[in-house]
Amino acid sequence: MATKEIQGLSDQDLMEKIAAEKADLNKMTLNHTISPAENPSKIRINRRNIARMLTEVNNRKNAAK
């Protein structure tokens, strides 16, 4: 997910997207421990997307101060 897309989301949508991505990451990690994933780099990409979204949340909080 690109930074422009993340910035275009509302606060509520952003929080929902973070929750969904975290659940997906948890599922992918669990499945990867049981049997190797076809493309383990998807786990890294998912982690980075979560970090991008959390950074945007923090930027919005700091801008509101």
Side-chain angles (χ1 to χ4, degrees):
M1 179 171 256
T3 305
K4 294 281 185 185
E5 293 174 16
I6 294 171
Q7 291 173 348
L9 295 173
S10 68
D11 291 341
Q12 183 65 30
D13 290 339
L14 190 57
M15 296 308 288
E16 290 173 3
K17 190 77 170 165
I18 290 170
E21 289 288 325
K22 282 185 176 182
D24 189 36
L25 176 64
N26 190 17
K27 180 180 163 190
M28 287 171 50
T29 308
L30 181 64
N31 287 340
H32 183 63
T33 43
I34 294 171
S35 65
E38 288 181 23
N39 190 359
S41 65
K42 287 184 179 182
I43 295 171
R44 181 177 8 149
I45 293 167
N46 198 338
R47 269 197 332 257
R48 290 181 180 176
N49 283 335
I50 293 169
R52 283 186 191 101
M53 288 185 269
L54 290 174
T55 300
E56 180 61 26
V57 168
N58 287 330
N59 288 341
R60 290 179 186 185
K61 284 181 184 177
N62 290 336
K65 286 184 181 179

